[in-house]
Amino acid sequence: MFKRYLMHDRLLIRFGTLLGVVMLIFLGTWTVSYVLLPEGLLRGRTAAQVLAGTDLAGGSVWLEWLRLLALNLGIMGFVIIAPNLVRTPGDIPLGYSTVTLQAVVFGMIVGTNSFSVSLGGKLPPSLAIFGSTGLYEIAAYALAATATVSIARYRLIGTWPKQKTSIIPTQTTAVIRERTVGVLLAIALLVAACGWEAYRFSLAVVS
């Protein structure tokens, strides 16, 4: 039943289901990290933070926005969409797993105050998270993952080393239109989130 909603014919239902699952996992990771893990555990240790740096790009909000956008588009393309070419033995797009992993990492960052610029202490779970751009970046990743389920070409089968079996991609007009609209909306969400993040980061650096 649950898989039925994750793989529903309608994008909105797939997206809502995956986003709900991802948010629950994020909240659980955030809570555990806040209670059990030391502050600053992941600061400067994730690939995204290393690439983003700790200074305003070129001293400009616009350049910082472009840097963050390029980084997030790269994650969306190579870490979220590309894995959807492969499905798990249970016929679930691999991109669903990478979105979940992103949520786990973000939950650990929030729970341990591992942001590039410290917020002054560990953050307990609260509705204040809706003021974080990371939440909307995760939502954009989930939208991209659910919009591109139709690109699958292989399914993992057998035992290690995994063998692959071919899948014929669905290419109807409706599917292609849904995929295009979903990805474009995900990109638009990233554009807005990265702009907001660049602005807030510039304020934090100046202060």
Side-chain angles (χ1 to χ4, degrees):
M1 179 66 71
F2 185 63
K3 178 182 173 183
R4 173 185 175 187
Y5 289 108
L6 282 174
M7 299 300 293
H8 199 276
D9 290 339
R10 295 182 60 185
L11 172 59
L12 187 59
I13 294 177
R14 294 198 304 272
F15 171 61
T17 304
L18 180 61
L19 185 62
V21 172
V22 165
M23 288 299 102
L24 286 175
I25 292 174
F26 161 70
L27 181 60
T29 306
W30 180 7
T31 302
V32 171
S33 299
Y34 174 75
V35 174
L36 299 178
L37 300 180
E39 183 177 350
L41 177 66
L42 295 182
R43 184 174 298 125
R45 291 183 171 87
T46 66
Q49 287 187 349
V50 171
L51 292 173
T54 57
D55 297 316
L56 199 64
S60 166
V61 175
W62 293 105
L63 290 178
E64 181 65 22
W65 172 63
L66 290 176
R67 176 165 67 176
L68 292 173
L69 182 58
L71 176 60
N72 278 277
L73 288 176
I75 292 174
M76 189 175 77
F78 293 104
V79 179
I80 307 300
I81 294 178
N84 269 358
L85 290 168
V86 179
R87 291 192 179 180
T88 67
D91 204 33
I92 297 296
L94 198 57
Y96 282 21
S97 299
T98 55
V99 170
T100 303
L101 180 59
Q102 292 292 320
V104 168
V105 173
F106 183 53
M108 292 179 65
I109 289 174
V110 175
T112 60
N113 184 26
S114 292
F115 297 100
S116 297
V117 178
S118 175
L119 300 181
K122 295 168 67 174
L123 301 176
S126 71
L127 294 178
I129 192 60
F130 287 100
S132 171
T133 56
L135 190 69
Y136 304 101
E137 291 168 358
I138 295 295
Y141 297 157
L143 179 55
T146 51
T148 56
V149 296
S150 60
I151 68 172
R153 283 175 167 75
Y154 305 100
R155 181 182 295 108
L156 298 175
I157 59 173
T159 56
W160 184 265
K162 297 290 187 180
Q163 298 178 343
K164 296 180 180 179
T165 180
S166 297
I167 296 176
I168 299 176
T170 305
Q171 297 291 345
T172 66
T173 301
V175 166
I176 294 174
R177 183 187 303 115
E178 180 185 70
R179 185 167 66 209
T180 302
V181 170
V183 171
L184 289 177
L185 287 176
I187 292 174
L189 184 55
L190 281 183
V191 169
C194 290
W196 184 14
E197 184 174 356
Y199 173 71
R200 293 180 62 191
F201 184 58
S202 69
L203 295 180
V205 171
V206 170
S207 60

